[in-house]
Amino acid sequence: MALRTMVERLEMAGWLDRVGEPLGRGVQALLRGRVRDALHGVWLGHPLHPALVQVPVGAWLSAAVLDALPGTQRAAMVLTGVGTAGAVPAALAGLNDWASLSREQRRTGLVHACANLVAVGLYAGSLVARLTGDHRLGRRLAYAGMAGASIGAYLGGHLSYRQAAAVNQAEAFLRQIPEGWQDLGAQEALTDGKPLRARIGEVPVLVTRTGDGVTAMIGNCGHQTGPLADGELVSVDGEDCLVCPWHGSTFRLADGAVVHGPAASDQPLLRARVVGGRIQVSLP
Ligand code: FES
């Protein structure tokens, strides 16, 4: 309970913003374009950071087991090096995601990053100690690093599973849509170049005219539920796309595919048609 209370207080720790706000702006200014999209995992369809984290965690844990066994100094040293090197791309991807989180999520994320930074420093020290022949010191530093990485992992779990960072926020809306075709109103309400806001019960839906047809997608962005209806329609590589007004995630209207992050998942699309002058949508 004490641990949970402590972590919940982190979310409210406004003083962390004094570091978090300028750092977030710096990361966004530094990581741009294709590098930014690649680190978000746009090409993968999922955030890249959790996948990359497997490398340092797996290597460091394996090294910890080997450190407890006789005659495995060299293998433990190699694994320590692999884990420390693997932590660099994992940290970059995490930093890139972190810069587009909500304020409360960024506070937790900042401490998560600090714990992992301490862990990387300790493992780097462990590697140097092992390379210079001091395996005893190397083991001690590695075990201290494992403690730091464990705190980082706990906070990472809190970010993902409690604060819902980097999960597709739009997917749950699909479960609130009843089966069958739903009427969204008269076709005349649709104008070229302007998405139409509609609702199915509590579910926000965005309808757009595309040529002779219509497309419909969940109206709140999968990244952090930004209102896509306030977004801008743009053309990317000749395809009509919608840019989220909050952090700039860009989705292709034809199929909801994410074209630019920070969202890494496609925006859920609904089937859409016009029957007798009425716009109708249904679950995909
Ligand atoms: S809410 Fe962040 S990009 Fe849409």
Side-chain angles (χ1 to χ4, degrees):
M1 273 313 275
L3 189 59
R4 278 166 56 176
T5 306
M6 203 165 68
V7 176
E8 280 163 13
R9 281 192 186 145
L10 269 186
E11 296 175 24
M12 301 299 145
W15 57 271
L16 287 170
D17 299 340
R18 288 204 287 271
V19 178
E21 299 283 344
L23 184 61
R25 283 195 295 274
V27 171
Q28 284 177 334
L30 201 65
L31 299 172
R32 307 184 72 83
R34 289 186 182 179
V35 174
R36 182 170 177 252
D37 282 342
L39 287 171
H40 278 311
V42 169
W43 58 277
L44 188 63
H46 296 277
L48 184 60
H49 175 63
L52 291 179
V53 161
Q54 307 308 311
V55 178
V57 169
W60 288 341
L61 265 177
S62 304
V65 173
L66 292 181
D67 274 338
L69 301 173
T72 55
Q73 288 179 345
R74 190 174 166 76
M77 181 172 69
V78 170
L79 284 169
T80 303
V82 168
T84 307
V88 176
L92 266 179
L95 202 61
N96 190 41
D97 288 346
W98 169 83
S100 303
L101 294 178
S102 72
R103 184 168 289 163
E104 291 76 15
Q105 290 168 340
R106 281 212 290 205
R107 290 168 186 159
T108 311
L110 191 63
V111 183
H112 161 76
C114 288
N116 286 330
L117 202 62
V118 169
V120 171
L122 287 164
Y123 273 106
S126 167
L127 183 62
V128 171
R130 291 170 200 256
L131 284 169
T132 54
D134 193 343
H135 290 275
R136 188 184 163 113
L137 177 62
R139 274 197 302 275
R140 288 181 174 171
L141 288 172
Y143 284 131
M146 181 57 66
S150 300
I151 294 169
Y154 179 84
L155 292 172
H158 184 85
L159 255 180
S160 295
Y161 302 118
R162 176 68 182 267
Q163 292 184 277
V167 300
N168 184 354
Q169 308 267 0
E171 195 67 21
F173 285 116
L174 292 176
R175 291 192 281 278
Q176 298 176 43
I177 298 178
E179 293 288 336
W181 289 99
Q182 311 294 320
D183 187 282
L184 292 187
Q187 182 185 14
E188 290 82 62
L190 266 179
T191 52
D192 276 336
K194 189 165 172 21
L196 173 71
R197 297 167 200 255
R199 297 193 88 82
I200 305 170
E202 294 299 311
V203 179
V205 178
L206 197 66
V207 185
T208 317
R209 196 203 312 256
T210 50
D212 292 338
V214 289
T215 60
M217 58 174 60
I218 296 298
N220 282 16
C221 178
H223 177 238
Q224 294 270 324
T225 70
L228 290 178
D230 295 338
E232 188 188 353
L233 282 172
V234 297
S235 177
V236 179
D237 298 330
E239 306 263 16
D240 290 334
C241 296
L242 186 62
V243 182
C244 176
W246 282 8
H247 310 104
S249 288
T250 306
F251 303 100
R252 201 160 53 210
L253 287 177
D255 55 5
V258 60
V259 176
H260 296 303
S265 304
D266 296 344
Q267 186 68 10
L269 212 67
L270 300 171
R271 288 201 292 158
R273 67 184 186 185
V274 176
V275 177
R278 306 288 298 176
I279 303 164
Q280 297 181 343
V281 298
S282 79
L283 284 169

